[in-house]
């Protein structure tokens, strides 16, 4: 009798297992579009055998644990590619914008420089003409405005980097707190011997997001707690403790620091990676470099034009007059360039005040093609180098972006193909579990028949 | 390995996206005719493009300036041709004044005609274009020649005074050449090339010569008038030398402009090589991309029709 009851138990366990397995398939199917979801697999084990009247009899099966398909290598690869992609991605919009600001179109700054020296060239033809003299003043004014607009747009761009950094920091602080609380949950759940499937998926996704934001590495300890480190080793999350990232406005820039309690570390391009590094690089290195180049160009134009202009004489007979307002230093020149003249009579076209004297206008017109910047480049040539630098950086960024995006896609495909959900696979599992469920049912009814026959004999 | 759903759809999406974005780039290039819209499209091309544009603008300015200079030289040439006619007429009149049968009245008539010629010569010397006097040097807003009031009292004083200066206007006619494009009134009419206020040897003060003849005729001094015939011939020579110099300058500027036009074509070509999209190429590529897009869409359609669910049960 005990044998038949055991047989019934075996049938029961197999029916329940079949049901749970189908539930697992159902869960996999419903998560087919969940980002970062790792396919779950029921792990069947048999019950320990029992010695029954000298026979070793099995007692059916059980689903021991639900396993999560996982590939550590692919997860790390995803994080690594995300950091590289994040850095380039953060730069891409700003670089596009810089390309627009430091433009190569006819209407850009190079056009204004050409136009300015072109107006002196026109003046050589008819130096006494008020129209031509006014044109020189106007083209000087346009040059001044273009310099100022370029610098002010670059400053605005720099400022928008601050705003973007602030939102990254907010996001990062939220994410590391979430990782710390997930750390606690995972270690609590897993201490009972159950894997914390969904929580680990969620944490993996967060870790990937954090590396994309700030780069760095992470490790997991035996209790299943993850620790996160910045690229140069400063800790962000250590088990259940987080190190908050603080921001503070210092002048024009947003200073970001990591609070380790005992000490605050200022975060710069060497201490972070990912999107934050991309943004900081532009804000702290690339944009200031270009602004300094523009300052040098503006200062070159101011100094050279003024030197020639001072040597000439205006229609009013005055000499020794600056064309642009003279500046004390090169720094900030592009933003501070101003006209000094406002009257056409002050334009020093000649060496004398005679209206037909074009001697000085000839010299100023020739300055446009003179290689005066660093002794080797013309003004437009120097500008072309600045615009070219931005172009090189932007095109390198486009290539790197496309490359990293492709790489990340490939790794993501690899990951999804290894641990993700395939509907075909799930359908086949579904049929498999359905068949075994059917067989268990059939088995139970057979045992039932056997039992009724047995009972009939007794009765 | 299996193909999971997210991979399948991600791949389809990526392929469709990349094909449409390539197609869009080509459409922009074809529609605008430009393949270099930002520095990053061809960073190495930035310098050549900007410098070429700079040279083109400068070439255009040279061209326009040269045209204006040629116009002015042509106008001056017309003035000089008239001056030659005036002197020729004065020579005829002075020769006829030597005719012994002329009465003093007839010489007076001749004198007044010479006086008219002299006045015409003064207005030629004070010729202007757009309010700028041709022969005034840099001082081109003031008439270069005025009557000398001292002459009435002292005939040894020159009849006309030069108010202009010795400014010679240089013009850059091409990136490498400059040319002097004006002639000072003192050189052309007073025979004073170096501007020291004294007529150079072998040259004459044309106004003094003509006034001298007029005054001699008024004084009925036929011999005195004909004695100045040599000076009149020198005056003719002086005008025509200057005129031929103007011709030489105008020719040089003309030639410079021809070179500039050739250069502009070359520069256009350089610019076009960097900037302009090859329409045939971009349209062909566009057709290719369109086909790729069709193929991608076709595959997408097939993939979404294909399902294991259709084959179960």
């Amino acid at each position: 009798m005990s044998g038949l009851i055991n047989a019934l138990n075996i049938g029961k366990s197999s029916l329940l297992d079949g049901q749970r397995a189908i539930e697992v398939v159902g869960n996999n199917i419903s998560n087919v579009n969940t980002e970062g979801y790792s396919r779950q697999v029921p792990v069947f084990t048999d019950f320990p055998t029992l010695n029954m009247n000298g026979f070793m009899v099995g007692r059916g099966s059980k689903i021991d644990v639900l396993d999560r398909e996982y590939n550590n290598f692919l997860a790390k690869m995803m994080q690594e590619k995300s950091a590289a992609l994040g850095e380039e991605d953060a730069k891409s919009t700003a670089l596009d914008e810089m390309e627009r600001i430091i433009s190569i179109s006819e209407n850009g700054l190079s056009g204004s420089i050409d136009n300015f020296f072109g107006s002196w060239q026109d003046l050589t033809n008819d130096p006494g003409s008020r129209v031509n003299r006014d044109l020189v003043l106007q083209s000087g004014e346009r040059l001044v405005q273009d310099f100022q607009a370029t610098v002010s747009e670059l400053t605005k761009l720099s400022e928008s980097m601050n705003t973007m950094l602030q939102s990254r920091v907010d996001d990062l602080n939220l994410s590391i707190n979430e990782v710390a609380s997930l750390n606690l949950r995972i270690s609590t759940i897993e201490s009972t011997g159950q894997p914390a499937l969904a929580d680990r998926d969620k944490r993996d996704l967060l870790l990937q997001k954090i590396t994309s934001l700030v780069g760095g590495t992470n490790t997991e300890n035996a209790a299943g707690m993850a620790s996160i480190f910045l690229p140069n080793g400063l800790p962000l999350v250590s088990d259940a403790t987080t190190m908050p990232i603080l921001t503070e406005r210092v002048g024009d820039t947003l200073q970001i620091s990591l609070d380790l309690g005992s000490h605050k570390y200022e975060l710069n391009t060497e201490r972070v990676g990912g999107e934050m590094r991309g943004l900081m690089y532009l804000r702290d290195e690339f944009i200031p470099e270009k602004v300094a180049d523009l300052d040098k160009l503006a200062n070159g134009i101011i100094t050279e034009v003024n030197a020639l202009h001072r040597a000439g004489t205006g229609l009013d007979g005055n000499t020794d007059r600056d064309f642009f307002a003279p500046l004390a230093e090169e720094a900030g020149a592009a933003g501070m360039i101003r006209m000094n003249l406002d009257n056409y009579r002050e334009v020093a076209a000649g060496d004398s005040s005679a209206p037909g004297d074009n001697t000085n206008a000839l010299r100023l017109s020739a300055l446009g093609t003179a290689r005066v910047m660093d002794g080797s480049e013309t003004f437009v040539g120097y500008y072309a180098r600045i615009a070219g630098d931005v172009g090189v950086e932007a095109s390198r960024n486009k290539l790197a972006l496309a490359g990293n995006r492709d790489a990340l896609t490939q790794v993501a495909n690899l990951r999804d193909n290894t641990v993700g959900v395939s509907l075909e696979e799930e359908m086949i599992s579904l049929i498999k579990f359905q068949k075994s469920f059917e067989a268990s049912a059939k088995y139970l009814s057979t045992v039932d028949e056997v039992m009724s026959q047995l009972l009939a004999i007794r009765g | 390995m299996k193909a999971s759903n997210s991979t399948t759809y991600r791949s389809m999406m990526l392929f469709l996206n990349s094909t449409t974005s390539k197609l869009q780039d080509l459409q922009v290039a074809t529609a605008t005719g430009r393949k270099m819209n930002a520095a990053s499209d061809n960073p190495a091309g930035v310098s050549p493009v900007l410098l070429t544009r700079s040279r083109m603008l400068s070439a255009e300015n040279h061209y326009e300036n040269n045209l204006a200079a040629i116009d002015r030289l042509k106008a001056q040439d017309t003035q000089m041709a008239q001056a030659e006619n005036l002197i020729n007429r004065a020579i005829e009149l002075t020769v006829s004044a030597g005719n012994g049968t002329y009465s003093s009245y007839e010489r007076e008539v001749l004198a007044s005609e010479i006086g008219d010629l002299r006045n015409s010569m003064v207005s030629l010397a004070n010729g202007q274009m757009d309010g700028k006097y041709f022969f005034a040097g840099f001082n081109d807003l003031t008439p270069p020649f005025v009557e000398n009031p001292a002459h009435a009292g002292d005939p040894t004083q020159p009849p006309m005074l030069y108010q202009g200066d010795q400014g010679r206007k240089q013009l850059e006619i091409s990136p490498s050449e400059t040319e002097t494009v004006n002639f000072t009134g003192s050189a052309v009419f007073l025979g004073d090339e170096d501007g020291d206020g004294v007529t150079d040897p072998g040259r004459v003060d044309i106004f003094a010569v003509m006034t001298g003849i007029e005054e001699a005729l008024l004084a009925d001094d036929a011999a005195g008038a004909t004695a100045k015939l040599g000076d009149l011939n020198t005056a003719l020579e002086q005008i025509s030398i200057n005129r031929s110099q103007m011709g030489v300058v105008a020719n040089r500027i003309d030639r410079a402009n021809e070179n500039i036009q050739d250069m502009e074509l070359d520069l256009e070509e350089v610019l076009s090589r960097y900037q302009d999209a090859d329409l045939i190429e971009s349209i062909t590529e566009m057709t290719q991309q369109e086909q790729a897009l069709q193929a991608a869409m076709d595959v997408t359609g097939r993939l979404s029709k294909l399902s294991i669910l259709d084959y179960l049960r």
Side-chain angles (χ1 to χ4, degrees):
Chain A
M1 198 60 200
S2 65
L4 274 179
I5 290 190
N6 187 33
L8 269 180
N9 268 331
I10 292 176
K12 185 185 90 182
S13 79
S14 118
L15 263 188
L16 285 177
D17 284 355
Q19 222 173 321
R20 276 198 68 193
I22 286 172
E23 277 169 27
V24 172
V25 172
N27 189 44
N28 281 342
I29 292 175
S30 68
N31 278 302
V32 67
N33 290 323
T34 306
E35 204 197 334
Y37 179 79
S38 306
R39 175 173 183 261
Q40 295 177 1
V41 203
V43 179
F44 292 87
T45 47
D46 55 348
F47 265 111
T49 48
L50 211 63
N51 187 343
M52 202 176 266
N53 305 330
F55 286 106
M56 298 300 283
V57 182
R59 290 190 298 153
S61 69
K62 61 172 180 172
I63 290 181
D64 213 6
V65 279
L66 283 180
D67 210 6
R68 161 175 171 263
E69 289 202 352
Y70 188 68
N71 186 321
N72 198 39
F73 171 72
L74 288 176
K76 288 282 173 215
M77 285 279 280
M78 291 273 284
Q79 289 172 7
E80 213 171 278
K81 297 293 169 200
S82 299
L85 179 65
E87 181 172 348
E88 298 302 339
D89 198 30
K91 284 198 265 184
S92 98
T93 331
L95 282 172
D96 278 355
E97 188 66 7
M98 274 185 90
E99 272 198 283
R100 187 189 62 72
I101 298 170
I102 303 183
S103 130
I104 57 165
S105 86
E106 286 94 335
N107 305 323
L109 193 50
S110 69
S112 300
I113 299 175
D114 280 339
N115 195 37
F116 176 67
F117 290 105
S119 72
W120 281 102
Q121 202 179 356
D122 281 343
L123 189 63
T124 62
N125 185 38
D126 193 357
S129 142
R130 172 164 186 178
V131 177
N132 281 1
R133 285 167 170 266
D134 279 342
L135 280 177
V136 167
L137 292 178
Q138 278 166 22
S139 65
E141 186 56 40
R142 182 183 147 193
L143 183 62
V144 162
Q145 281 169 3
D146 275 3
F147 261 118
Q148 289 174 349
T150 307
V151 170
S152 105
E153 288 203 67
L154 286 177
T155 315
K156 267 185 217 147
L157 191 62
S158 217
E159 180 53 43
S160 75
M161 303 280 105
N162 282 337
T163 321
M164 284 162 92
L165 276 168
Q166 179 68 57
S167 78
R168 299 300 188 280
V169 169
D170 294 345
D171 206 356
L172 193 58
N173 278 332
L174 276 179
S175 300
I176 56 175
N177 281 333
E178 222 173 317
V179 167
S181 56
L182 280 169
N183 273 348
L184 268 182
R185 285 185 57 171
I186 290 171
S187 72
T188 317
I189 294 175
E190 291 190 349
S191 64
T192 66
Q194 280 294 316
L197 307 174
D199 290 330
R200 277 180 174 274
D201 277 347
K202 215 188 270 177
R203 191 178 66 186
D204 274 351
L205 214 56
L206 277 170
L207 288 177
Q208 194 188 331
K209 181 173 159 194
I210 291 169
T211 28
S212 162
L213 281 172
V214 77
T217 51
N218 52 68
T219 54
E220 191 183 320
N221 66 11
M225 296 225 196
S227 296
I228 307 175
F229 303 95
L230 289 178
N232 73 337
L234 288 172
L236 257 187
V237 176
S238 174
D239 297 345
T241 326
T242 56
M243 323 294 158
I245 292 182
L246 310 174
T247 56
E248 190 193 350
R249 282 284 325 186
V250 178
D252 283 341
T253 161
L254 186 77
Q255 212 173 63
I256 301 173
S257 51
L258 181 71
D259 188 3
L260 290 190
S262 55
H263 188 78
K264 274 187 201 160
Y265 288 89
E266 196 192 326
L267 296 183
N268 53 26
T269 48
E270 275 159 29
R271 288 184 168 149
V272 298
E275 290 178 32
M276 284 180 64
R277 188 182 136 82
L279 293 172
M280 280 186 180
Y281 167 73
L282 288 181
R283 185 193 68 172
D284 298 340
E285 290 171 31
F286 197 66
I287 297 180
E289 242 170 55
K290 297 305 130 204
V291 171
D293 283 345
L294 286 168
D295 282 346
K296 186 170 173 184
L297 178 62
N299 192 53
I301 292 179
I302 295 172
T303 334
E304 299 291 334
V305 168
N306 279 353
L308 288 181
H309 195 263
R310 270 202 305 271
T313 310
L315 279 181
D316 52 7
N318 283 341
T319 181
D320 207 21
R321 204 162 23 203
D322 284 315
F323 189 88
F324 295 109
L327 296 177
E329 53 171 9
E330 181 181 299
M336 291 190 294
I337 182 170
R338 295 275 185 287
M339 289 287 287
N340 189 41
L341 303 188
D342 54 4
N343 187 321
Y344 74 98
R345 298 180 61 81
E346 297 171 337
V347 173
D351 283 349
S352 65
S353 62
D357 192 348
N358 68 354
T359 330
N360 207 36
L362 275 174
R363 291 190 203 112
L364 273 153
S365 155
L367 184 59
T369 49
R371 297 180 181 277
V372 286
M373 292 303 291
D374 295 332
S376 62
E377 275 172 308
T378 63
F379 295 126
V380 171
Y382 192 79
Y383 178 80
R385 196 178 65 63
I386 304 176
D389 278 355
V390 177
V392 168
E393 182 68 23
S395 98
R396 193 203 56 73
N397 169 265
K398 275 179 199 161
L399 279 178
L401 195 59
N404 282 319
R405 197 165 271 155
D406 280 354
L408 184 64
T409 309
Q410 274 178 19
V411 178
N413 281 350
L414 217 56
R415 178 209 169 270
D416 287 346
N417 283 347
T418 317
V419 304
V421 178
S422 148
L423 283 182
E424 283 76 19
E425 192 181 32
E426 299 310 319
M427 291 322 288
I428 288 163
S429 303
L430 194 61
I431 297 167
K432 185 172 82 180
F433 295 135
Q434 193 186 1
K435 291 288 171 209
S436 72
F437 188 86
E438 266 178 40
S440 312
K442 177 74 191 161
Y443 166 77
L444 267 183
S445 75
T446 310
V447 174
D448 181 43
E449 261 174 52
V450 171
M451 278 185 89
S452 1
Q453 278 167 355
L454 204 65
L455 289 172
I457 294 169
R458 272 182 71 172
Chain B
M1 203 191 293
K2 66 201 178 193
S4 71
N5 277 59
S6 41
T7 308
T8 313
Y9 287 101
R10 182 187 295 126
S11 304
M12 285 195 290
M13 187 101 89
L14 269 180
F15 195 59
L16 280 178
N17 281 348
S18 77
T19 320
T20 41
S21 96
K22 263 186 225 156
L23 196 58
Q24 198 184 22
D25 286 349
L26 284 169
Q27 279 163 347
V28 169
T30 315
T32 60
R34 280 211 173 175
K35 63 181 173 189
M36 189 170 163
N37 289 307
S40 59
D41 292 337
N42 180 7
V46 172
S47 246
V49 164
L50 293 189
L51 290 174
T52 307
R53 267 201 218 130
S54 206
R55 289 178 62 194
M56 279 181 73
L57 183 80
S58 158
E60 261 160 51
N61 281 336
H62 279 132
Y63 188 78
E64 294 297 325
N65 281 353
N66 287 351
L67 285 186
I70 290 172
D71 280 350
R72 237 181 350 241
L73 282 168
K74 274 191 186 144
Q76 285 181 56
D77 185 66
T78 316
Q79 307 268 64
M80 299 300 246
Q82 277 177 29
E84 281 178 1
N85 289 341
L86 291 179
I87 294 174
N88 277 325
R89 177 72 186 140
I91 291 175
E92 275 171 36
L93 292 175
T94 312
V95 168
S96 71
N99 191 332
T101 63
Y102 271 25
S103 68
S104 61
Y105 170 70
E106 279 165 318
R107 292 212 175 89
E108 223 169 277
V109 172
L110 282 179
S112 99
E113 206 176 330
I114 296 269
D116 287 346
L117 290 178
R118 191 199 70 116
N119 289 342
S120 306
M121 188 65 92
V122 170
S123 56
L124 283 181
N126 281 340
Q128 50 168 299
M129 190 171 173
D130 305 330
K132 310 264 175 357
Y133 293 92
F134 292 129
F135 301 110
F138 285 156
N139 207 6
D140 60 4
L141 291 179
T142 325
F145 290 101
V146 288
E147 297 281 349
N148 183 4
H151 179 75
D154 175 6
T156 58
Q157 291 286 323
M160 301 300 293
L161 284 181
Y162 180 58
Q163 300 197 104
D165 59 18
Q166 295 300 318
R168 300 299 301 268
K169 185 169 161 192
Q170 305 282 322
L171 198 65
E172 205 180 73
I173 59 168
S174 79
S176 53
E177 297 167 84
T178 47
E179 193 61 66
T180 311
V181 293
N182 73 335
F183 292 81
T184 60
S186 64
V188 177
F189 297 98
L190 302 184
D192 174 15
E193 191 91 44
D194 47 15
D196 57 359
V198 180
T199 304
D200 300 340
R203 296 292 159 120
V204 288
D205 175 345
I206 295 175
F207 302 121
V209 172
M210 293 178 89
T211 313
I213 294 170
E214 184 193 357
E215 282 167 355
L217 287 175
L218 277 177
D220 207 10
D221 175 6
T226 47
K228 298 227 182 254
L229 267 175
D231 284 349
L232 274 181
N233 280 319
T234 313
L236 192 59
E237 197 187 325
Q238 189 170 313
I239 296 280
S240 66
I241 286 174
N242 277 301
R243 194 181 164 197
S244 70
Q245 274 177 4
M246 279 174 200
V248 170
V249 172
N251 267 340
R252 276 199 207 129
I253 299 182
D254 247 343
R255 218 176 37 239
N257 256 8
E258 279 166 25
N259 288 340
I260 286 172
Q261 279 177 314
D262 286 349
M263 189 174 84
E264 278 188 315
L265 280 181
D266 291 346
L267 292 176
E268 291 271 9
E269 206 179 302
V270 172
L271 213 51
S272 154
R273 199 168 60 231
Y274 283 106
Q275 284 188 329
D276 295 349
D278 180 346
L279 272 193
I280 299 176
E281 197 182 300
S282 53
I283 289 174
T284 317
E285 270 180 53
M286 211 158 86
T287 320
Q288 269 176 7
Q289 285 298 330
E290 274 167 4
Q291 278 172 354
L293 184 62
Q294 271 174 4
M297 285 174 166
D298 192 49
V299 169
T300 311
R302 277 166 200 245
L303 266 177
S304 34
K305 267 188 231 149
L306 213 56
S307 166
I308 191 173
L309 296 174
D310 296 337
Y311 299 93
L312 295 179
R313 215 166 296 267

